[in-house]
Amino acid sequence: MNADCLFCKIIAGIIPVKPLYDDAELIAIQDINPQAPLHVLIIPKIHIASLNDLVPEHDALVGSMFRRAADLARPRGYDVRGYRTVFNTGAEAGQSVFHIHLHLLAGRSLAWPPG
Ligand code: 5GP
Ligand code: ZN
């Protein structure tokens, strides 16, 4: 846990949330400022500041994050309609919380390239 990290505080229960999914390694929560009808953040319970800090030991964890996104999208019909999964890394990509999280966005037409 990083005492200055918003997502570590959520994971520690210091900031209460109602998770959509919670297990030993991950939590999935609704984004506080949703950019689509479904906007979920899939967050590992260990503090990793950004994709720049990944090491091979994280490979299974990151795989689980993507599989969790698919498992959250499927029962809502977005496996057919479509969805987007995004990691923002660094300032120009708009990363604002430096604890990795996978955005799952769905429920509207998503432009490409992104803004
Ligand atoms: P980033 O900009 O780092 O890719 O994404 C951070 C996301 O966290 C943003 O989409 C922002 O709306 C969301 N966020 C910021 N603070 C909170 C919070 O306290 N609770 C939740 N659920 N989401 C938050
Ligand atoms: Zn953290």
Side-chain angles (χ1 to χ4, degrees):
M1 153 128 193
N2 178 328
D4 299 324
C5 171
L6 173 67
F7 289 167
C8 281
K9 287 181 194 162
I10 287 174
I11 289 155
I14 296 164
I15 298 171
V17 291
K18 288 185 185 158
L20 296 176
Y21 180 82
D22 188 3
D23 70 16
E25 62 176 3
L26 298 176
I27 190 169
I29 61 172
Q30 282 179 322
D31 197 290
I32 203 167
N33 182 23
Q35 300 302 309
L38 180 71
H39 188 173
V40 176
L41 303 174
I42 299 157
I43 308 170
K45 290 193 171 175
I46 58 168
H47 182 85
I48 303 167
S50 87
L51 295 193
N52 293 326
D53 301 295
L54 289 178
V55 295
E57 287 68 30
H58 297 139
D59 287 0
L61 176 63
V62 174
S64 297
M65 294 171 74
F66 279 106
R67 209 157 45 74
R68 184 52 46 198
D71 286 351
L72 287 161
R74 190 177 301 105
R76 295 167 172 84
Y78 297 124
D79 55 335
V80 176
R81 288 181 61 186
Y83 57 92
R84 186 167 292 167
T85 45
V86 178
F87 280 99
N88 293 321
T89 303
E92 287 197 354
Q95 185 177 7
S96 59
V97 178
F98 283 77
H99 176 136
I100 62 166
H101 48 281
L102 182 60
H103 293 262
L104 167 62
L105 297 143
R108 66 173 173 85
S109 193
L110 298 163
W112 192 263

